[in-house]
Amino acid sequence: MNRDQLQSYIYTEKLLAQLYRRAAALATMQSERDALLAFARDAEQNANYLNYFYRLEFGTAFDPMIPDVNIQGGYRELLNEIQKQELSSFLALRRLTYNQGNAELRETMRAITDNKLGHILTILAIVTNMNTPG
């Protein structure tokens, strides 16, 4: 994996953490708020895991500045953006679990993608519940 790829993955996790915190602030149900805040912590932890490998490879940490992303709309649109980011990230990272020579990195990627799959399904359930009448 090259520097740009790893930086992109770290950036995405940091962005997701920010988006999850923003979504948690908009959630009306406590259970959703708690889940979204837990997902924000997971994304930060994923960035930390990836940064571990970045430091091993490049000798320094990568700590990108995440600009405030302007999402048009409300809670649903924010969840849709999170879902889009999570799916894209999941697919990119999952591919790396099959052709990664470094066993420790491969297993870390596998754990991150397993975690992401849970996030994706939970966000899908939240949005589906928003579409269910009554």
Side-chain angles (χ1 to χ4, degrees):
M1 176 176 353
N2 68 40
R3 181 185 292 252
D4 290 339
Q5 283 176 309
L6 200 44
Q7 285 179 351
S8 175
Y9 301 145
I10 293 167
Y11 179 91
T12 299
E13 291 306 308
K14 296 275 193 174
L15 172 64
L16 280 165
Q18 180 188 85
L19 293 175
Y20 276 124
R21 285 190 293 274
R22 188 184 309 170
L26 297 174
T28 57
M29 294 176 49
Q30 186 64 42
S31 60
E32 287 178 13
R33 186 175 304 115
D34 292 344
L36 294 168
L37 289 173
F39 294 171
R41 288 188 298 274
D42 290 343
E44 285 288 345
Q45 188 63 51
N46 292 343
N48 290 337
Y49 290 144
L50 294 169
N51 239 321
Y52 166 79
F53 293 102
Y54 190 89
R55 279 189 305 277
L56 285 178
E57 184 70 23
F58 304 108
T60 183
F62 179 65
D63 190 21
M65 184 68 140
I66 307 298
D68 194 27
V69 178
N70 186 19
I71 308 281
Q72 298 299 317
Y75 185 50
R76 178 189 308 268
E77 290 74 23
L78 183 53
L79 292 176
N80 287 335
E81 179 62 24
I82 289 170
Q83 185 81 314
K84 183 176 109 183
Q85 293 289 330
E86 283 283 26
L87 281 167
S88 175
S89 176
F90 170 83
L91 293 171
L93 293 173
R94 192 63 183 184
R95 257 183 255 117
L96 292 175
T97 64
Y98 301 113
N99 59 10
Q100 183 52 244
N102 179 328
E104 185 181 15
L105 179 57
R106 184 176 58 243
E107 289 307 311
T108 299
M109 294 295 197
R110 189 166 288 134
I112 288 172
T113 57
D114 288 351
N115 189 266
K116 285 181 163 300
L117 187 56
H119 295 180
I120 290 165
L121 293 173
T122 301
I123 297 299
L124 182 60
I126 292 170
V127 172
T128 300
N129 286 340
M130 294 170 101
N131 295 332
T132 304

